[in-house]
Amino acid sequence: MTEITIFYNEDCITKIEAIGHADYTSYGNDIVCASISTLLQTAVLAVKEMFHINLVSSINDGDMKLIIPNDENVQLIIKTMIFGLKDIESGYPNNLKIKERKDVY
């Protein structure tokens, strides 16, 4: 299962950690994992290309940690990504779990 933790400081998203594989089906054929990866990577790419900000603090096989700046445009892109991730979670609750931690400094 992929677990994504979203950290907030008040209403500002400060960090996102995605850990593990979705395990929906075999490696290379996993549509849930591919969907999660596509959303994460597209948001990272958009922020990098549009605002010249690198969000990735670490990336390893199946794991990605992002540091999110308090920038209105970046926050909008990240919130849009989260809508997509939550939609995947609602359809595949055995493969994606999203946790939210509020007021983490």
Side-chain angles (χ1 to χ4, degrees):
M1 173 180 290
T2 299
E3 292 187 4
I4 296 177
T5 306
I6 304 164
F7 297 84
Y8 294 85
N9 182 356
E10 297 180 7
D11 290 333
C12 180
I13 300 162
T14 58
K15 181 170 61 169
I16 296 175
E17 295 180 350
I19 299 171
H21 291 281
D23 296 325
Y24 177 73
T25 191
S26 63
Y27 182 80
N29 296 305
D30 196 325
I31 61 170
V32 177
C33 191
S35 299
I36 295 166
S37 295
T38 299
L39 285 171
L40 287 165
Q41 291 178 33
T42 298
V44 167
L45 180 62
V47 170
K48 183 177 181 182
E49 293 296 319
M50 294 170 62
F51 308 112
H52 310 288
I53 298 170
N54 181 16
L55 302 179
V56 178
S57 68
S58 71
I59 189 166
N60 296 308
D61 182 40
D63 300 344
M64 179 184 274
K65 294 182 182 177
L66 308 175
I67 303 300
I68 314 300
N70 186 3
D71 175 274
E72 184 177 340
N73 293 315
V74 173
Q75 291 286 316
L76 182 61
I77 290 171
I78 297 304
K79 287 176 183 176
T80 301
M81 176 195 72
I82 291 169
F83 288 137
L85 291 169
K86 287 183 176 181
D87 189 55
I88 294 169
E89 179 188 37
S90 71
Y92 299 91
N94 294 323
N95 307 99
L96 175 59
K97 174 67 178 162
I98 298 173
K99 298 183 270 184
E100 296 179 299
R101 297 196 46 204
K102 305 285 184 170
D103 297 324
V104 178
Y105 299 92

